[in-house]
Amino acid sequence: MKRRGVFISIEGGEKAGKTTQAGLLAGYLRSRGFDVVLTREPGGTPAGEAIRHILLHKQDAGLNAVSEVLLFAASRGQLVEEVVRPALRDGRVVVADRYVDSSLAYQAYGLGLPLQNVLAVNEWATGSLWPDLTVLLDLPNLAVTQTRPRSGPADRIERRSRQFHERLLEGYRTLAATYKDRYVVVDASGPVDEVSRAVQAAVLSRVTGEEVPGR
Ligand SMILES: Nc1ncnc2c1ncn2[C@@H]1O[C@H](COP(=O)(O)OP(=O)(O)OP(=O)(O)O)[C@@H](O)[C@H]1O
Ligand SMILES: [Mg+2]
């Protein structure tokens, strides 16, 4: 019987290097013979991409905080049903550029919504699918990323206050301490290749330990 695949999420604040490291990790795991699916949030399905546009780029939609949580969860639920669960059923490795913890960090810790509510909505949307491993790309402070270039204009959420971004970084650390078994914290302030080696080391033992099918 086929074994279930492995689900890895990459988390962190703005410009922590999530997309860079998710791509490098996917390439590394593929070079070691793993069958990898890379996802990003919000988006990754037709409904999810439409929701992404509202969440990130519609400055004038008047979205309130609760609607924001529900829309992120809706996009995530679509992604889980259409992409993540089928990939895991096929024994593949899923590398997710953001997942539920982003909502906990941004909307619960960052915006101050009740953690239990954000958690409950996401449990419902994902059918309680949690990653096997979550890599937190941790930054000691926001100044580290201020020199990093952005790919386009700041989106609706990036434009929030410095305090919002500091609260969410602290929130991620609280999550890592709460869910110790699932989390690995990597210092993301160094050069890309140094961070990448740390991510690979953290992930490989977990992935091989799971005896990924076909190997
Ligand atoms: N360790 C690093 N050192 C210096 N620059 C980096 C590092 N990691 C990524 N960068 C650069 O910083 C920018 C942001 O990186 P990236 O897009 O991977 O971050 P992100 O966490 O996905 O950001 P976002 O929150 O906007 O999705 C990119 O231009 C990238 O090339
Ligand atoms: Mg990114």
Side-chain angles (χ1 to χ4, degrees), residues 13-20 97-98 148-149 158 188 190-192 195:
E14 307 295 325
K15 293 194 281 176
K18 298 174 297 298
T19 302
T20 303
D97 180 351
R98 293 196 182 279
R148 293 185 181 172
E158 282 170 336
V192 171
V195 178

Side-chain angles (χ1 to χ4, degrees), residues 135-166:
V135 178
L136 172 58
L137 298 176
D138 187 44
L139 296 170
N141 56 63
L142 287 175
V144 177
T145 54
Q146 269 160 6
T147 54
R148 293 185 181 172
R150 67 171 73 255
S151 43
D155 65 42
R156 200 178 64 85
I157 291 173
E158 282 170 336
R159 288 183 194 194
R160 288 186 175 148
S161 70
R162 181 184 181 84
Q163 288 81 354
F164 168 84
H165 290 283
E166 274 161 2

Side-chain angles (χ1 to χ4, degrees), residues 5 15 31 49 59 68 92 97 99 105-106 117 140 142 149 154 177 179 182 197 208 213:
K15 293 194 281 176
S31 78
E49 290 297 325
Q59 307 288 347
E68 183 173 309
R92 304 170 83 182
D97 180 351
Y99 192 59
Y106 279 68
N117 292 10
L142 287 175
Y179 300 106
R182 168 165 71 87
R197 278 195 297 275
T208 49

